[in-house]
Amino acid sequence: MQLIDSLGRHINYLRLSVTDRCNIRCFYCMPKEGIVKTGHDAVLSYEELHLIAETAVGLGIEKIRITGGEPLVRAGLIGFLERLAAIGGLRHLALTTNGLLLEQMSEDLFRAGVQRLNVSLDSLDSKTFAEITRGGDIQRVLSGLEAAERAGFPPPKINVVVMRGVNDSEILDFAEMTRERGNSVRFIEYMPVVKEPGWQRFCISGKEILQRIAERYPLEQVDKGAYAGPSRDFRIPGASGSIGIITAVSGHFCSECNRIRVTATGQAKGCLFSDERTDLVPFLRPADPQRLREVLKGIVAGKPERHGMSCDGYAHSNFAMSQVGG
Ligand code: SAM
Ligand code: SF4
């Protein structure tokens, strides 16, 4: 079965958040004071999350990415992942993490059946990293990356949110990582989700990021895999990792969008930047798989054509990315 939306886009990818809690506070993701903690009852149980995943796969979802908040802080995650990996028809199970707990958890994650890790790392400089994350220890992330490879994972993909005046001086260092260490690196345009005064100063377009890399390295275009996100991918000849540019803000990739999202409290979203969301809880408590199936189909059918965000302004309400899952 294939899930096709009203604009003919093939939807095969679900981003499933397991928590909105996090062990750091990246300044671009959540306010300094953190977010109001969601009560335990409001967060979906693993049984409920599993039912959503199973129903989505039954409809045609082939790839699930576990996200958060920080997914590795939720107790019992490994058992949940084992059960997800066993869902017939699910072809790809991936997880996005800040990497702080990877040193202790990599082996269990690999054994549970996670195929691919994305690690968010916005600076290779310990001081800048601590500033962006409001106190995070980069050494733990670097040890985590090594532990992931020792456990059997391919070199994790590195997600870098590029912000002018914060970490844009490191673009070439990250590009070099694709040669030196074999990690693929995806440069993500900063998205204004937390309404901070003067947020426009951080904006730097994917075009400029690519230009800066191309001034230093020759680049060849890379074919994207079947479940690839909406990045444009390049490679420095001879490098084993690729360079991806995600122009979420400047270069709407909405026409290629292949995903839906479900938050840890069961709010399903057809578009990250739309205020529209559908509460799945009435179809989970008590569980009603048939209606849940119909509702998920409706979310795909109603996916908006495009979002209205740009570095000049945006229409969506403020939210913390940790509450949706990126
Ligand atoms: N805690 C995990 C992590 O940081 O990888 C998973 C959740 S995090 C919300 C998912 C992704 O969203 C991360 O790669 C993060 O860098 C990205 N993100 C968060 N806020 C963002 C923003 N304002 N602009 C662009 N990307 C953002
Ligand atoms: Fe936490 Fe990830 Fe948000 Fe950073 S980006 S605060 S690690 S949820």
Side-chain angles (χ1 to χ4, degrees):
M1 180 164 180
Q2 284 207 334
L3 266 178
I4 308 289
D5 76 0
S6 59
L7 299 162
R9 294 174 294 196
H10 179 198
I11 310 304
N12 61 1
Y13 177 12
L14 167 67
R15 291 180 71 98
L16 187 59
S17 173
V18 294
T19 180
D20 56 3
R21 301 191 177 198
C22 188
N23 43 3
I24 46 176
R25 304 236 174 295
C26 302
F27 80 85
Y28 55 73
C29 176
M30 59 166 99
K32 190 159 48 199
E33 59 283 5
I35 49 164
V36 180
K37 284 195 178 130
T38 311
H40 280 294
D41 286 351
V43 172
L44 298 187
S45 67
Y46 283 132
E47 286 67 30
E48 290 162 344
L49 288 164
H50 186 271
L51 179 60
I52 293 170
E54 198 174 45
T55 308
V57 172
L59 284 169
I61 292 292
E62 296 170 312
K63 168 176 173 174
I64 296 180
R65 175 173 299 282
I66 299 302
T67 177
E70 174 48 40
L72 301 191
V73 301
R74 180 155 177 189
L77 181 73
I78 299 297
F80 169 63
L81 293 172
E82 278 168 2
R83 289 195 293 126
L84 271 194
I87 295 177
L90 178 63
R91 300 166 78 104
H92 196 86
L93 179 60
L95 180 139
T96 297
T97 170
N98 61 29
L100 288 171
L101 293 172
L102 269 186
E103 187 162 22
Q104 38 294 37
M105 293 184 69
S106 284
E107 283 186 12
D108 287 344
L109 288 167
F110 189 72
R111 266 200 299 266
V114 175
Q115 288 151 284
R116 189 94 219 201
L117 296 174
N118 281 21
V119 174
S120 303
L121 175 62
D122 302 316
S123 176
L124 297 168
D125 173 77
S126 55
K127 192 163 159 279
T128 311
F129 181 83
E131 278 165 13
I132 294 173
T133 56
R134 299 193 178 107
D137 175 4
I138 194 174
Q139 276 317 320
R140 286 175 62 191
V141 183
L142 297 176
S143 309
L145 286 172
E146 283 170 19
E149 288 193 54
R150 274 200 309 276
F153 284 105
K157 272 194 190 166
I158 308 293
N159 284 353
V160 186
V161 177
V162 185
M163 292 159 286
R164 197 183 297 284
V166 177
N167 62 351
D168 61 319
S169 60
E170 297 186 57
I171 290 172
L172 294 179
D173 299 334
F174 277 109
E176 189 58 37
M177 256 182 118
T178 66
R179 289 209 303 190
E180 262 179 19
R181 302 183 45 137
N183 298 90
S184 289
V185 175
R186 299 183 332 150
F187 294 101
I188 304 172
E189 286 179 346
Y190 160 80
M191 305 176 215
V193 296
V194 182
K195 233 180 233 162
E196 274 187 87
W199 55 265
Q200 285 91 342
R201 71 184 183 281
F202 299 128
C203 289
I204 172 163
S205 70
K207 190 170 161 210
E208 180 177 338
I209 297 167
L210 189 60
Q211 240 161 19
R212 291 209 208 168
I213 301 172
E215 277 166 17
R216 168 78 172 273
Y217 299 102
L219 291 176
E220 52 196 30
Q221 203 132 4
V222 174
D223 276 346
K224 299 203 291 182
Y227 307 113
S231 60
R232 285 193 297 145
D233 293 340
F234 304 87
R235 189 184 302 280
I236 301 172
S240 46
S242 60
I243 291 172
I245 309 280
I246 305 195
T247 53
V249 181
S250 71
H252 292 287
F253 45 54
C254 305
S255 63
E256 290 171 46
C257 186
N258 62 349
R259 58 191 63 187
I260 55 171
R261 302 176 151 79
V262 177
T263 72
T265 55
Q267 308 301 304
K269 293 189 76 166
C271 172
L272 178 59
F273 293 104
S274 158
D275 283 342
E276 241 171 70
R277 42 180 68 204
T278 305
D279 188 3
L280 300 182
V281 171
F283 317 105
L284 297 167
R285 299 176 183 175
D288 185 342
Q290 192 47 43
R291 284 185 68 204
L292 181 63
R293 196 179 150 85
E294 292 313 311
V295 170
L296 287 175
K297 271 163 78 175
I299 288 154
V300 168
K303 251 178 87 69
E305 183 177 351
R306 54 187 286 142
H307 66 67
M309 181 188 51
S310 78
C311 252
D312 298 325
Y314 55 94
H316 62 267
S317 311
N318 245 10
F319 62 96
M321 200 69 103
S322 59
Q323 290 172 306
V324 181

